[in-house]
Amino acid sequence: MFGPLLQTLRQRRPLIHSITNYVTINDCANILLAAGASPIMADAPEEAAEITARCQGLTLNLGMVHADRIPAMLASGRQANAMGIPVVLDPVGAGASTFRTDTAHRLLLEVRFAVIRGNLSEILALAGGAGHSRGVDTADTLTARTRDADIALAKELARRTGAVVAVTGPTDLVTDGSAVCEIHNGHPMMGSVTGTGCMLSCLTAAFVAANPAEPFRAAAAAVCAMGLCGEIAYDRLQPGEGNASYRTRILDAVYNLTPDALEEGARYELH
């Protein structure tokens, strides 16, 4: 189901414009290169839309968001919409502050997104649920008590925005408002590396840019690929290595991931 999408990504090598988190921007660029895409980062309002026009995909990430970046995000998003370029929103920290939450809602009002990818509390904040994000990397996850309600909110957000919604955590969910893909790839140690979510959002943009007619499958493929590479990276750690080595091994795993390995290693259920 997902292997051919990775093959298409490696063949098409899309150029992805990312207005992303300063904390993780280098890793975002490197994961795009590892996947076979090409990165470009430009957040000056004077050039952001022009850069977007040259690309095949766009990521807008609210990490380290400030007032000067918002015009660049809006201009890039509008340019992408005008040209049919898929846009991915990573609402980092939505729910943690009024400024972040309001910025995320403004982007949703003024830009059409192909995919919205966030952790559970971020998605709940956008969906109007009880969002209470405590930062970029959270332990939020679905529980037996709230699972059905949280899935319903994610599906409603997808229907309201027209975007595929990817909720990532120990168990990942991807929905287009109707179908749901529940993904079981990943490793707990991924939480010890800052920016794995930002990296995944850029990887999602690459998958969707290469497969624009299939945003649901493309987003699910990206989530599976990232989780699988987290598993592979953990298995390759040597005694004495920690999160710095793990971060590098995740990038190596993405670089070496083959369509067949993704097809074989993806663990998911479709509902």
Side-chain angles (χ1 to χ4, degrees):
M1 178 176 174
F2 298 138
L5 302 181
L6 176 59
Q7 182 66 35
T8 301
L9 167 54
R10 297 203 186 276
Q11 290 171 344
R12 294 185 174 174
R13 304 186 63 82
L15 179 62
I16 306 300
H17 181 199
S18 299
I19 302 179
T20 190
N21 193 338
Y22 294 143
V23 176
T24 62
I25 192 167
N26 182 260
D27 288 340
C28 288
N30 280 323
I31 201 165
L32 286 169
L33 290 168
S38 296
I40 187 168
M41 280 76 171
D43 65 359
E46 295 82 0
E47 68 167 356
E50 183 180 357
I51 294 297
T52 296
R54 300 173 181 269
C55 298
Q56 288 77 56
L58 172 66
T59 305
L60 301 180
N61 179 306
L62 294 186
M64 298 297 291
V65 68
H66 54 77
D68 291 342
R69 295 189 106 192
I70 296 171
M73 289 185 170
L74 291 169
S76 290
R78 292 172 185 140
Q79 183 69 49
N81 286 171
M83 298 181 66
I85 297 167
V87 190
V88 173
L89 174 65
D90 187 337
V92 176
S97 74
T98 301
F99 176 63
R100 284 177 184 270
T101 307
D102 287 351
T103 299
H105 283 297
R106 182 179 177 187
L107 287 167
L108 288 174
L109 283 173
E110 300 190 32
V111 178
R112 295 189 310 277
F113 290 95
V115 181
I116 302 167
R117 190 226 59 86
N119 63 41
L120 180 59
S121 64
E122 292 160 352
I123 296 301
L124 291 179
L126 297 189
H132 54 280
S133 175
R134 62 182 175 85
V136 174
D137 302 306
T138 83
D140 292 330
T141 186
L142 301 174
T143 66
R145 182 176 61 83
T146 64
R147 180 181 183 279
D148 289 346
D150 292 340
I151 290 174
L153 278 171
K155 291 173 73 173
E156 174 56 29
L157 179 62
R159 288 191 291 265
R160 173 161 56 87
T161 61
V164 172
V165 172
V167 187
T168 54
T171 298
D172 306 311
L173 293 171
V174 179
T175 180
D176 61 0
S178 177
V180 176
C181 185
E182 188 169 337
I183 297 166
H184 304 288
N185 289 109
H187 191 277
M189 194 174 180
M190 296 178 79
S192 71
V193 177
T194 191
T196 51
C198 299
M199 294 160 73
L200 172 55
S201 292
C202 289
L203 186 63
T204 300
F207 267 92
V208 177
N211 303 277
E214 301 184 84
F216 174 67
R217 278 213 307 148
V223 174
C224 278
M226 188 70 180
L228 176 59
C229 287
E231 297 170 11
I232 293 168
Y234 181 80
D235 288 342
R236 292 177 177 169
L237 283 175
Q238 300 300 308
E241 292 184 335
N243 65 339
S245 299
Y246 184 55
R247 164 186 165 274
T248 299
R249 293 188 184 279
I250 290 173
L251 290 170
D252 287 343
V254 173
Y255 183 86
N256 289 296
L257 186 66
T258 65
D260 286 346
L262 176 57
E263 198 70 36
E264 181 179 344
R267 293 183 286 118
Y268 60 91
E269 302 168 55
L270 286 173
H271 306 291

